[in-house]
Amino acid sequence: METTKRYVVGLGEALWDVLPEGKKLGGAPANFAYHAGQFLGQDNTIAISALGEDELAEETIQSLKEHGLNYLMPRVPFPTGTVQVTLDAEGIPTYDIKEDVAWDNIPYTPEMAEIAKNCRALCFGSLAQRHTTSWNTIRQFLDDTPEDCVKIFDINLRQQFYSKAVIEESLKRCNILKINDEELVVLKRMYGFEELDMRGICEKILAEYGLKMLVLTCGTNGSYVFASGLTSFQDTPKVTVADTVGAGDSFTGSFCAAILSGKPMEEAHKIAVEVSAFVCTQNGAMPILPDTFKK
């Protein structure tokens, strides 16, 4: 694989969301890379994970190719990941994430190290760090990226698959944190920020970890982007929801692409909110965006 480009990377879990209408390729890293690639060009984006030595791995590769996604996913002797997704009446998903699967065991390969050195932006979460092998790979990749790399920690707390140690190490290595209001409550308790309100917690995390930005999404109650001395707020558009699977990843991917394209924080925020709202009106995590978004 050519590694002279400055890559935009989604790193972590590769899995299939098993939805009521059938299974769809998912996982935050592939979703992020796909949506960033719709703005930046798929040649510049890549999803990094691991796959099993099974039929589902072949289906993964086929689906990645159909979506025009570059990928680096070594084969390992564990099953390819799946998640059982159930939707409530409002289309809000609940996840049953299978354990000890391929993406829990991502090896750090020389090819990954080369991509890390040529990485322009990277998105990673807490979920793929639940197992020591992938945790070590993600930390090593982050440590090998250039100084100016945009490193987004999309915290993405799922079930019981996180720890303070993982969150702490990730906050030290990222320069943008993306978190939702429910996850912020977890951090509030974890770090003993009980006396602080929502804004106070965000500003404290921003300052303590020297972050460039903190993105807080609050579902139907809008979203915020905090930076040193700056705050952006956007209302959540009212749309007819098909499902919300991948909506958060589309927000992160489009926000990252806009920032990399030199757009101001407020404009990048507006684009991300509109893209995420559109994705909520579609089934699955990787719909094609209308050309109006890409102008």
Side-chain angles (χ1 to χ4, degrees):
M1 181 178 293
E2 183 187 354
T3 54
T4 55
K5 298 185 181 105
R6 296 294 300 279
Y7 284 103
V8 176
V9 175
L11 172 60
E13 61 272 18
L15 48 84
W16 287 83
D17 292 318
V18 184
L19 296 149
E21 71 270 18
K23 69 179 188 294
K24 292 181 184 291
L25 182 66
N31 294 341
F32 166 83
Y34 174 77
H35 286 288
Q38 291 200 80
F39 291 90
L40 300 171
Q42 299 293 5
D43 285 350
N44 303 312
T45 56
I46 184 167
I48 297 180
S49 187
L51 297 174
E53 297 163 340
D54 51 21
E55 188 176 327
L56 204 52
E58 300 299 332
E59 290 186 48
T60 305
I61 290 168
Q62 182 61 34
S63 185
L64 289 166
K65 288 178 177 176
E66 287 171 1
H67 285 95
L69 259 171
N70 291 314
Y71 61 91
L72 177 56
M73 299 186 181
R75 299 296 188 93
V76 293
F78 296 88
T80 299
T82 55
V83 177
Q84 194 72 39
V85 184
T86 53
L87 304 174
D88 68 13
E90 281 76 46
I92 308 300
T94 302
Y95 303 94
D96 177 18
I97 305 166
K98 304 307 178 188
E99 295 189 62
D100 204 22
V101 291
W103 58 262
D104 285 318
N105 297 277
I106 306 168
Y108 195 56
T109 65
E111 199 168 9
M112 286 183 200
E114 279 302 306
I115 290 171
K117 290 171 191 171
N118 291 282
C119 188
R120 186 181 179 200
L122 165 70
C123 183
F124 68 104
S126 64
L127 181 57
Q129 299 184 71
R130 65 181 182 175
H131 188 285
T132 305
T133 303
S134 292
W135 185 17
N136 288 334
T137 291
I138 289 169
R139 284 188 294 174
Q140 188 64 58
F141 193 102
L142 284 159
D143 291 347
D144 285 347
T145 57
E147 189 69 30
D148 63 349
C149 181
V150 175
K151 290 170 277 194
I152 303 172
F153 179 36
D154 187 351
I155 194 166
N156 204 19
L157 303 181
R158 291 282 184 258
Q159 296 174 214
Q160 75 281 12
F161 299 128
Y162 59 88
S163 66
K164 188 172 182 180
V166 163
I167 291 169
E168 185 75 12
E169 289 297 321
S170 299
L171 286 171
K172 288 177 183 175
R173 286 172 166 83
C174 74
N175 44 43
I176 298 176
L177 170 65
K178 178 172 175 282
I179 190 167
N180 66 34
D181 50 351
E182 293 178 356
E183 292 163 342
L184 195 71
V185 172
V186 175
L187 261 62
K188 180 176 184 173
R189 293 172 182 150
M190 186 179 282
Y191 283 89
F193 294 154
E194 299 295 344
E195 77 285 359
L196 297 175
D197 62 9
M198 181 190 74
R199 177 182 288 272
I201 296 167
C202 291
E203 290 176 348
K204 188 170 182 66
I205 293 170
L206 195 71
E208 285 201 358
Y209 292 94
L211 304 179
K212 292 177 181 174
M213 284 178 265
L214 187 153
V215 179
L216 172 66
T217 58
C218 303
T220 57
N221 296 317
S223 58
Y224 301 81
V225 182
F226 299 98
S228 182
L230 294 171
T231 302
S232 171
F233 174 77
Q234 288 281 330
D235 285 314
T236 301
K238 290 178 171 58
V239 297
T240 302
V241 174
D243 69 56
T244 62
V245 178
D249 303 323
S250 72
F251 184 114
T252 314
S254 52
F255 181 79
C256 178
I259 292 294
L260 292 177
S261 299
K263 290 182 168 48
M265 182 181 86
E266 294 85 351
E267 188 179 345
H269 185 193
K270 185 172 186 293
I271 291 167
V273 166
E274 290 172 352
V275 168
S276 179
F278 171 78
V279 171
C280 286
T281 69
Q282 307 296 302
N283 285 312
M286 295 186 192
I288 297 171
L289 296 179
D291 290 338
T292 50
F293 283 115
K294 304 169 195 175
K295 291 179 180 176

